[in-house]
Amino acid sequence: MNSMTTTPHAEVLRDRHRNRLPQRLRELTGPVDGTVELPLHIAWSGRTSYSLDRPKSRMTLYRTVLAEGRREDLERFLHHRLLAEQWPVLRRLVSPYIREVWEAAFPELLPRTAPAAANAA
């Protein structure tokens, strides 16, 4: 049996994304407006220019960087506030491995549930 069959594929993917995480969300200090040009090692399959001023373009940029970027790319191109604001939608657009790793590392990204009504009659 080789090592690829003893290590589940899902855990390999989780480890890949876990190793790219910043220590704190605040380390994500990318731009909050304007246009971002991604290098080819991130945007290798097409579009490289994204407008942070257009929500759909910004969402695509974040999705691409989360999936393909290295740690330094995450810190350079993503901004902690924009990531947190977009996360409720973005979490459904990224792979489950990315979502699980980011939410485990940063509980502030976890979906908020409505508090249970106290003393409900």
Side-chain angles (χ1 to χ4, degrees):
M1 209 185 279
N2 68 36
S3 64
M4 290 306 289
T5 59
T6 59
T7 304
H9 183 67
E11 195 54 40
V12 170
L13 291 173
R14 281 186 200 93
D15 284 344
R16 178 187 308 162
H17 292 288
R18 195 176 293 118
N19 291 332
R20 298 174 183 176
L21 290 174
Q23 293 292 324
R24 297 180 328 259
L25 277 182
R26 291 241 175 234
E27 293 175 15
L28 303 177
T29 58
V32 295
D33 57 21
T35 300
V36 173
E37 298 286 335
L38 291 179
L40 291 177
H41 74 270
I42 301 173
W44 49 266
S45 67
R47 183 175 172 192
T48 59
S49 181
Y50 300 86
S51 171
L52 292 172
D53 304 319
R54 293 185 17 235
K56 198 171 186 182
S57 179
R58 184 176 58 238
M59 190 75 67
T60 303
L61 167 76
Y62 273 61
R63 181 177 167 199
T64 301
V65 174
L66 286 168
E68 303 296 336
R70 299 179 292 224
R71 180 184 308 222
E72 57 270 15
D73 299 321
L74 299 172
E75 294 170 358
R76 177 179 172 197
F77 295 112
L78 305 182
H79 190 276
H80 59 90
R81 181 180 52 80
L82 292 179
L83 177 70
E85 287 173 3
Q86 295 183 124
W87 192 255
V89 173
L90 187 58
R91 70 184 302 275
R92 295 187 309 243
L93 301 176
V94 297
S95 79
Y97 311 113
I98 294 171
R99 180 177 57 247
E100 291 166 12
V101 164
W102 278 81
E103 289 179 351
F106 306 110
E108 60 266 42
L109 293 177
L110 287 168
R112 301 204 194 287
T113 57
N119 301 325

PDB file of all heavy atoms in Angstrom, residues 5 18-19 25 34 47 60 69-70 76 92-93 112:
ATOM      1  N   THR A   5      -2.676   6.015  -0.582  1.00  0.00           N
ATOM      2  CA  THR A   5      -3.875   5.280  -0.208  1.00  0.00           C
ATOM      3  C   THR A   5      -4.076   5.245   1.301  1.00  0.00           C
ATOM      4  O   THR A   5      -5.161   4.956   1.756  1.00  0.00           O
ATOM      5  CB  THR A   5      -3.843   3.840  -0.760  1.00  0.00           C
ATOM      6  OG1 THR A   5      -2.689   3.178  -0.253  1.00  0.00           O
ATOM      7  CG2 THR A   5      -3.847   3.841  -2.273  1.00  0.00           C
ATOM      8  N   ARG A  18      -4.605  24.538   5.294  1.00  0.00           N
ATOM      9  CA  ARG A  18      -4.257  24.886   6.670  1.00  0.00           C
ATOM     10  C   ARG A  18      -2.854  25.503   6.725  1.00  0.00           C
ATOM     11  O   ARG A  18      -2.621  26.461   7.463  1.00  0.00           O
ATOM     12  CB  ARG A  18      -4.319  23.633   7.545  1.00  0.00           C
ATOM     13  CG  ARG A  18      -4.329  23.886   9.030  1.00  0.00           C
ATOM     14  CD  ARG A  18      -4.501  22.596   9.833  1.00  0.00           C
ATOM     15  NE  ARG A  18      -5.811  22.003   9.627  1.00  0.00           N
ATOM     16  CZ  ARG A  18      -6.034  20.783   9.094  1.00  0.00           C
ATOM     17  NH1 ARG A  18      -5.033  20.012   8.718  1.00  0.00           N
ATOM     18  NH2 ARG A  18      -7.258  20.319   8.951  1.00  0.00           N
ATOM     19  N   ASN A  19      -1.938  24.975   5.934  1.00  0.00           N
ATOM     20  CA  ASN A  19      -0.562  25.468   5.933  1.00  0.00           C
ATOM     21  C   ASN A  19      -0.426  26.862   5.326  1.00  0.00           C
ATOM     22  O   ASN A  19       0.608  27.499   5.464  1.00  0.00           O
ATOM     23  CB  ASN A  19       0.351  24.490   5.192  1.00  0.00           C
ATOM     24  CG  ASN A  19       0.521  23.206   5.949  1.00  0.00           C
ATOM     25  OD1 ASN A  19       0.430  23.170   7.171  1.00  0.00           O
ATOM     26  ND2 ASN A  19       0.751  22.119   5.237  1.00  0.00           N
ATOM     27  N   LEU A  25      -6.499  36.847  11.392  1.00  0.00           N
ATOM     28  CA  LEU A  25      -7.186  37.460  10.257  1.00  0.00           C
ATOM     29  C   LEU A  25      -6.648  38.862   9.962  1.00  0.00           C
ATOM     30  O   LEU A  25      -6.580  39.282   8.808  1.00  0.00           O
ATOM     31  CB  LEU A  25      -8.695  37.545  10.511  1.00  0.00           C
ATOM     32  CG  LEU A  25      -9.508  36.296  10.222  1.00  0.00           C
ATOM     33  CD1 LEU A  25     -10.985  36.566  10.483  1.00  0.00           C
ATOM     34  CD2 LEU A  25      -9.300  35.799   8.813  1.00  0.00           C
ATOM     35  N   GLY A  34     -10.459  49.711  -5.585  1.00  0.00           N
ATOM     36  CA  GLY A  34      -9.617  49.756  -6.775  1.00  0.00           C
ATOM     37  C   GLY A  34      -9.602  48.440  -7.536  1.00  0.00           C
ATOM     38  O   GLY A  34     -10.464  47.585  -7.354  1.00  0.00           O
ATOM     39  N   ARG A  47      -8.958  34.903 -16.227  1.00  0.00           N
ATOM     40  CA  ARG A  47      -9.045  36.288 -15.763  1.00  0.00           C
ATOM     41  C   ARG A  47      -7.995  36.606 -14.693  1.00  0.00           C
ATOM     42  O   ARG A  47      -7.791  35.834 -13.766  1.00  0.00           O
ATOM     43  CB  ARG A  47     -10.445  36.487 -15.209  1.00  0.00           C
ATOM     44  CG  ARG A  47     -10.753  37.856 -14.758  1.00  0.00           C
ATOM     45  CD  ARG A  47     -12.212  37.904 -14.346  1.00  0.00           C
ATOM     46  NE  ARG A  47     -12.512  39.172 -13.718  1.00  0.00           N
ATOM     47  CZ  ARG A  47     -13.607  39.404 -13.064  1.00  0.00           C
ATOM     48  NH1 ARG A  47     -14.514  38.455 -12.936  1.00  0.00           N
ATOM     49  NH2 ARG A  47     -13.822  40.585 -12.536  1.00  0.00           N
ATOM     50  N   THR A  60     -15.290  36.907  -6.722  1.00  0.00           N
ATOM     51  CA  THR A  60     -14.512  36.004  -7.565  1.00  0.00           C
ATOM     52  C   THR A  60     -13.030  36.095  -7.219  1.00  0.00           C
ATOM     53  O   THR A  60     -12.335  35.073  -7.164  1.00  0.00           O
ATOM     54  CB  THR A  60     -14.749  36.315  -9.057  1.00  0.00           C
ATOM     55  OG1 THR A  60     -16.147  36.229  -9.328  1.00  0.00           O
ATOM     56  CG2 THR A  60     -14.000  35.357  -9.952  1.00  0.00           C
ATOM     57  N   GLY A  69      -4.022  30.760  -3.839  1.00  0.00           N
ATOM     58  CA  GLY A  69      -2.945  31.587  -3.310  1.00  0.00           C
ATOM     59  C   GLY A  69      -2.120  30.924  -2.227  1.00  0.00           C
ATOM     60  O   GLY A  69      -2.585  30.057  -1.504  1.00  0.00           O
ATOM     61  N   ARG A  70      -0.870  31.376  -2.136  1.00  0.00           N
ATOM     62  CA  ARG A  70       0.017  30.986  -1.041  1.00  0.00           C
ATOM     63  C   ARG A  70      -0.250  31.924   0.126  1.00  0.00           C
ATOM     64  O   ARG A  70      -0.978  32.902  -0.003  1.00  0.00           O
ATOM     65  CB  ARG A  70       1.476  31.094  -1.500  1.00  0.00           C
ATOM     66  CG  ARG A  70       1.785  30.186  -2.687  1.00  0.00           C
ATOM     67  CD  ARG A  70       3.215  30.323  -3.140  1.00  0.00           C
ATOM     68  NE  ARG A  70       3.446  31.631  -3.726  1.00  0.00           N
ATOM     69  CZ  ARG A  70       4.123  31.844  -4.838  1.00  0.00           C
ATOM     70  NH1 ARG A  70       4.633  30.831  -5.510  1.00  0.00           N
ATOM     71  NH2 ARG A  70       4.301  33.074  -5.294  1.00  0.00           N
ATOM     72  N   ARG A  76      -1.450  39.543   0.985  1.00  0.00           N
ATOM     73  CA  ARG A  76      -1.284  40.662   0.052  1.00  0.00           C
ATOM     74  C   ARG A  76      -2.584  41.062  -0.648  1.00  0.00           C
ATOM     75  O   ARG A  76      -2.834  42.247  -0.887  1.00  0.00           O
ATOM     76  CB  ARG A  76      -0.237  40.289  -0.987  1.00  0.00           C
ATOM     77  CG  ARG A  76      -0.029  41.332  -2.039  1.00  0.00           C
ATOM     78  CD  ARG A  76       1.040  40.899  -3.012  1.00  0.00           C
ATOM     79  NE  ARG A  76       1.108  41.831  -4.127  1.00  0.00           N
ATOM     80  CZ  ARG A  76       1.687  41.564  -5.265  1.00  0.00           C
ATOM     81  NH1 ARG A  76       2.276  40.407  -5.453  1.00  0.00           N
ATOM     82  NH2 ARG A  76       1.702  42.454  -6.231  1.00  0.00           N
ATOM     83  N   ARG A  92     -20.037  29.440   0.785  1.00  0.00           N
ATOM     84  CA  ARG A  92     -20.772  28.479  -0.047  1.00  0.00           C
ATOM     85  C   ARG A  92     -20.153  28.333  -1.427  1.00  0.00           C
ATOM     86  O   ARG A  92     -20.522  27.437  -2.178  1.00  0.00           O
ATOM     87  CB  ARG A  92     -22.223  28.911  -0.161  1.00  0.00           C
ATOM     88  CG  ARG A  92     -22.960  28.876   1.171  1.00  0.00           C
ATOM     89  CD  ARG A  92     -24.433  29.135   1.020  1.00  0.00           C
ATOM     90  NE  ARG A  92     -24.701  30.335   0.258  1.00  0.00           N
ATOM     91  CZ  ARG A  92     -25.319  31.408   0.718  1.00  0.00           C
ATOM     92  NH1 ARG A  92     -25.746  31.417   1.951  1.00  0.00           N
ATOM     93  NH2 ARG A  92     -25.542  32.444  -0.039  1.00  0.00           N
ATOM     94  N   LEU A  93     -19.230  29.219  -1.776  1.00  0.00           N
ATOM     95  CA  LEU A  93     -18.612  29.202  -3.102  1.00  0.00           C
ATOM     96  C   LEU A  93     -17.243  28.533  -3.124  1.00  0.00           C
ATOM     97  O   LEU A  93     -16.745  28.193  -4.192  1.00  0.00           O
ATOM     98  CB  LEU A  93     -18.468  30.641  -3.623  1.00  0.00           C
ATOM     99  CG  LEU A  93     -19.763  31.437  -3.745  1.00  0.00           C
ATOM    100  CD1 LEU A  93     -19.461  32.862  -4.167  1.00  0.00           C
ATOM    101  CD2 LEU A  93     -20.724  30.768  -4.720  1.00  0.00           C
ATOM    102  N   ARG A 112     -23.379  32.878  12.165  1.00  0.00           N
ATOM    103  CA  ARG A 112     -24.050  33.250  13.414  1.00  0.00           C
ATOM    104  C   ARG A 112     -25.485  32.726  13.365  1.00  0.00           C
ATOM    105  O   ARG A 112     -26.165  32.888  12.384  1.00  0.00           O
ATOM    106  CB  ARG A 112     -24.070  34.769  13.571  1.00  0.00           C
ATOM    107  CG  ARG A 112     -22.685  35.353  13.569  1.00  0.00           C
ATOM    108  CD  ARG A 112     -22.678  36.680  14.280  1.00  0.00           C
ATOM    109  NE  ARG A 112     -21.479  37.446  14.059  1.00  0.00           N
ATOM    110  CZ  ARG A 112     -20.297  37.170  14.597  1.00  0.00           C
ATOM    111  NH1 ARG A 112     -20.156  36.124  15.354  1.00  0.00           N
ATOM    112  NH2 ARG A 112     -19.245  37.940  14.367  1.00  0.00           N
TER     113      ARG A 112
END
